[in-house]
Structures are given as structure tokens and as C-alpha cells.
Amino acid sequence: MPGVPPREQQVREYFAANNATARQGPLAQQDFFGRTQHPDYADRTCELDGLTVELDPALSTLRPDPAYSPDETGPPRGEVWVIGVEVTVRHEGTITGRQIGSQHLVLLDGRVHGFAPCPNGSGS
């Protein structure tokens, strides 16, 4: 998009790719989350158990969040951002949950990384 800052464009592309894989089904989305998980947290993903997670970002809320720490080890490597999202969870195409929340993303080595959601509430 002309006139869109590069970082915002990368964030748009991240969410577009997430939602495209959600439309392809849980296995495609599980693969997406594995490929885009922050490398320092690669072992902290969750099984989707047949669910898909669509994320609709409010791009106007994108802002730096350098103090964010997903655990007690401190902030992750990279440039940390937070953005408001509407989360829609589906099982076999049927909406089973919807909520508003925030999501952290990290720009590291020129790529946007996330922290895979755990829609079933249990980490693996």
C-alpha cells in the first residue's frame, strides 16, 4: 500500500497470512503459528485441537511495548509492539468464541513474530 509505513505493512501482512491459514483449517494455521512463533519461544506453542483463530487487528492501536515480557525472563529479543485485536475462534467453521484483546508482535531480523495463542487454555 502506498504511504503505509513498512512496519505497519508487515503487521498487516502477518494478520492477512494468519487469517488466510485459518480459512485453510487448523493444520495450516498450526503450521503458520509454528513458523511465525518468536524463535526464543518456539517450544511454547499450543495444539489447536481442531480450532482456528481469526485475528482482526485495529491498526490504529499499534504501538511500541518495550517492557512486555511473556514470562519471567524479561522482554523478548527484537522490537516489541502491541495491537488491539478482535479474536474469533471457530470449530469446523462455527464460531465458538469471540473477544477483544491485545496481541504482542515482535519485529526481529526483518520478520514479524508472534506468540501462538492457546484457544483451549492449555499450553503444550
Side-chain angles (χ1 to χ4, degrees), residues 1-17 57 59 62 81 83 105 107 110-112:
M1 291 184 135
V4 175
R7 183 175 302 109
E8 185 176 315
Q9 184 61 34
Q10 287 179 289
V11 169
R12 285 178 193 266
E13 291 168 2
Y14 173 88
F15 285 110
L59 291 168
L62 182 64
W81 293 80
I83 188 168
L105 300 171
L107 184 61
R111 292 186 53 211
V112 174

Side-chain angles (χ1 to χ4, degrees), residues 20-41:
T21 62
R23 288 188 294 276
Q24 293 172 18
L27 293 176
Q29 193 167 47
Q30 188 79 51
D31 179 64
F32 172 80
F33 287 141
R35 287 183 288 110
T36 61
Q37 179 81 346
H38 190 288
D40 295 346
Y41 301 86

